[in-house]
Amino acid sequence: MKARIHPDTRLVVFRDRTADVAFLTRSTADSSRTVEWEDGFTYPVIDVEVSSASHPFYTGRSRVLDSAGRVERFERRYGRSAAARG
């Protein structure tokens, strides 16, 4: 690696508020807010809305999207009638 071209990394806690889970990892991100971790040290904390603990792809829990009405709304908007669908 070339010297002085890479950003400094530090230990940071990423906290997923949705799943109430926190991860301690190295990151270039920084925050003025801190939290005391399980090891007794204080680290910067960054709150995230989605992580591997709460994302449906990783958890296996799918979210139901409202797909009913989308086709009808598209057809109303662009003028395709029931007779044209055949």
Side-chain angles (χ1 to χ4, degrees):
M1 290 190 339
K2 290 185 179 180
R4 296 187 309 255
I5 65 167
H6 299 283
D8 293 329
T9 60
R10 63 193 65 78
L11 288 172
V12 177
V13 174
F14 286 93
R15 184 171 46 194
D16 184 348
R17 293 291 197 162
T18 308
D20 196 29
V21 175
F23 305 94
L24 178 65
T25 187
R26 295 196 68 81
S27 177
T28 58
D30 198 10
S31 175
S32 59
R33 297 181 16 202
T34 59
V35 67
E36 186 173 333
W37 190 244
E38 301 162 354
D39 60 5
F41 292 105
T42 302
Y43 299 104
V45 63
I46 298 174
D47 290 324
V48 295
E49 294 187 25
V50 177
S51 72
S52 61
S54 63
H55 194 278
F57 178 78
Y58 294 106
T59 61
R61 291 179 287 166
S62 62
R63 295 182 184 167
V64 177
L65 296 176
D66 179 27
S67 60
R70 289 185 184 189
V71 173
E72 290 82 8
R73 187 171 57 233
F74 176 83
E75 290 173 352
R76 265 195 325 267
R77 182 177 293 166
Y78 296 105
R80 187 171 170 191
S81 66
R85 281 182 267 160

